[in-house]
Amino acid sequence: MLILFQILFILFAGFAVFNVISRKRSGLLGQRAVFFWIFFWILGVIVVIWPNSSSILAAYLGIGRGTDLVIYISLALLFFLVFKLNVKLDSLNRDLTKIVRKDALDNNE
Amino acid sequence: MLVAVVPAYNEEKRIGSVIRDLFEHVDKVLVVDDASTDNTFQEARKAGAIVLKHVLNRGQGAALQTGHEYANIIGADYVIHFDGDGQFSTKDISGAMQHMQEAEVDVLLGSRFLQKKSNIPWFKAKILLPLGRIINNLFSGLKLSDAHNGFRILNRKAFNKIKINQDRMAHATEIPAQIKKYNLKYVEFPIEVKYYEYGQNMAGGFKILRDLLLGKFLR
Ligand SMILES: Nc1nc2c(ncn2[C@@H]2O[C@H](COP(=O)(O)OP(=O)(O)OP(=O)(O)O)[C@@H](O)[C@H]2O)c(=O)[nH]1
Ligand SMILES: [Mg+2]
């Protein structure tokens, strides 16, 4: 029997995968990113439906509980994504500056 | 040819008189208006400066780099960074130029601490600037008495070598770092800074640190 949380999570994962695919269609996501995110959500669904699966892996890695493992991985992933976003934003900022500068220099004479 | 580069953001009240004073000491005045929302552009034009306009606000560092590139185009021999808010004194310019040529250096960096000329607010003098100095020494490896001083003179070699990537205030640490990296010769020179009101605060300081850390990952 699925409990309510599991149903909600599966619905959400389905929605997320749908989102990934429609982004791929409009060319906003590359092949690698698509595979990563689909894999990620499938993994999530597996762990939510069979909580023991994460415990087995956790025990293998020497971490006490399966939920801890999930939290560690999620946190690491979040930090990594935030970092990447920050770096990306900074490089966008630099590109923007270059354009603004070129415009300023070109429009003087 | 000595060109003053004046970064300006919403300085309509003071920019005109700063430019007029500058003309007594430099050959050309270049104002980089950083998408000001007031009449900085018109006031600067009226006072006779060349005015370049950023269509979006990109920060003081970005404005200085724009100034360097323009100075290169018009074949300037020296650029002087000069704040548009009237805090610097144009009287320091001739002495600084003379000192720079005698010392045969590529860069002259103004300092508020070599001599006690400035009435720096207590919190800024005793807490913000010392902290900033530690961070600067850490990141740039150049020991300066006053790293965060916007008064600088660079010769052609220096302003063409140095590329300011830090758009906002962290350029104050980036410039010494590049002076060291490119082995440019430099001296510090005592100048006066007047304080009317508060510019940057603690939050600004943390933003600079963030920019510096992030900048380490970008090339
Ligand atoms: N181009 C540009 N110039 C700026 C910007 N913010 C400030 N400035 C200019 O940079 C100069 C110095 O700015 P301040 O805010 O006084 O900074 P500061 O002198 O380091 O700080 P204080 O020592 O507290 O006065 C002035 O001429 C400002 O108009 C900006 O976003 N873009
Ligand atoms: Mg100021």
Side-chain angles (χ1 to χ4, degrees):
Chain A
M1 249 310 273
L2 294 178
I3 60 171
L4 184 59
F5 169 72
Q6 290 172 318
I7 296 171
L8 287 176
F9 188 89
I10 291 168
L11 283 177
F12 182 73
F15 166 74
V17 167
F18 173 76
N19 220 329
V20 166
I21 291 170
S22 66
R23 265 180 208 205
K24 164 76 183 158
R25 287 245 168 83
S26 51
L28 285 171
L29 272 180
Q31 200 72 33
R32 265 196 342 181
V34 171
F35 278 127
F36 171 80
W37 284 114
I38 291 180
F39 175 74
F40 176 83
W41 288 112
I42 289 176
L43 207 69
V45 168
I46 290 174
V47 168
V48 166
I49 296 181
W50 296 286
N52 278 341
S53 60
S54 69
S55 301
I56 294 165
L57 189 60
Y60 183 71
L61 291 173
I63 297 170
R65 295 183 311 171
T67 41
D68 287 346
L69 175 69
V70 171
I71 289 171
Y72 294 161
I73 291 179
S74 315
L75 268 181
L77 202 69
L78 273 175
F79 271 111
F80 176 70
L81 287 178
V82 168
F83 173 76
K84 260 188 71 162
L85 259 172
N86 253 317
V87 170
K88 183 79 207 162
L89 235 127
D90 229 69
S91 91
L92 273 176
N93 262 322
R94 286 185 186 190
D95 290 345
L96 188 57
T97 297
K98 282 186 197 139
I99 295 176
V100 169
R101 176 169 299 134
K102 186 168 185 315
D103 170 80
L105 291 168
D106 288 350
N107 284 335
N108 181 55
E109 288 88 29
Chain B
M1 179 180 20
L2 170 60
V3 177
V5 173
V6 183
Y9 180 65
N10 290 350
E11 299 286 2
E12 63 178 6
K13 289 206 200 79
R14 297 229 166 86
I15 194 87
S17 67
V18 169
I19 293 167
R20 280 185 289 275
D21 288 350
L22 274 171
F23 270 123
E24 289 172 26
H25 302 272
V26 304
D27 302 302
K28 284 198 165 117
V29 178
L30 170 66
V31 171
V32 183
D33 171 23
D34 209 5
S36 296
T37 51
D38 66 1
N39 285 322
T40 298
F41 187 88
Q42 289 85 341
E43 290 298 322
R45 271 275 161 90
K46 214 161 62 188
I50 306 161
V51 190
L52 297 186
K53 188 169 180 67
H54 281 177
V55 289
L56 293 171
N57 181 274
R58 303 309 301 153
Q60 195 188 35
L64 291 173
Q65 179 61 29
T66 300
H68 287 183
E69 295 187 12
Y70 186 80
N72 182 35
I73 292 170
I74 62 173
D77 301 303
Y78 293 92
V79 299
I80 171 166
H81 297 173
F82 206 88
D83 282 359
D85 55 6
Q87 280 186 289
F88 293 160
S89 164
T90 51
K91 286 195 222 82
D92 286 323
I93 295 176
S94 54
M97 270 308 280
Q98 200 187 340
H99 186 74
M100 185 173 177
Q101 276 155 353
E102 279 166 10
E104 295 186 354
V105 293
D106 303 307
V107 186
L108 177 141
L109 301 164
S111 170
R112 287 163 277 194
F113 297 107
L114 287 184
Q115 278 170 28
K116 276 205 170 284
K117 279 191 181 176
S118 309
N119 58 325
I120 310 171
W122 178 86
F123 183 67
K124 187 145 195 151
K126 294 283 187 278
I127 301 195
L128 266 191
L129 289 171
L131 276 178
R133 191 154 54 218
I134 292 169
I135 289 169
N136 173 72
N137 292 345
L138 216 63
F139 275 89
S140 75
L142 210 65
K143 283 211 168 18
L144 298 173
S145 68
D146 186 11
H148 301 85
N149 193 306
F151 185 106
R152 308 179 187 89
I153 306 179
L154 295 83
N155 68 9
R156 189 171 176 78
K157 176 180 167 195
F159 71 72
N160 280 335
K161 266 262 183 308
I162 291 175
K163 298 267 179 304
I164 303 172
N165 288 310
Q166 290 287 0
D167 288 345
R168 308 263 157 210
M169 293 303 188
H171 70 275
T173 298
E174 194 184 23
I175 291 173
Q178 294 200 20
I179 289 175
K180 190 174 157 103
K181 180 173 162 199
Y182 296 121
N183 261 321
L184 299 168
K185 289 195 227 101
Y186 70 96
V187 325
E188 290 193 276
F189 184 78
I191 62 142
E192 181 192 1
V193 179
K194 296 183 228 69
Y195 277 86
Y196 309 103
E197 62 197 37
Y198 219 63
Q200 294 190 56
N201 54 24
M202 202 72 185
F206 281 117
K207 265 197 74 198
I208 293 169
L209 191 57
R210 174 201 165 276
D211 287 351
L212 285 172
L213 287 170
L214 215 55
K216 287 268 168 221
F217 298 103
L218 278 176
R219 266 307 140 247

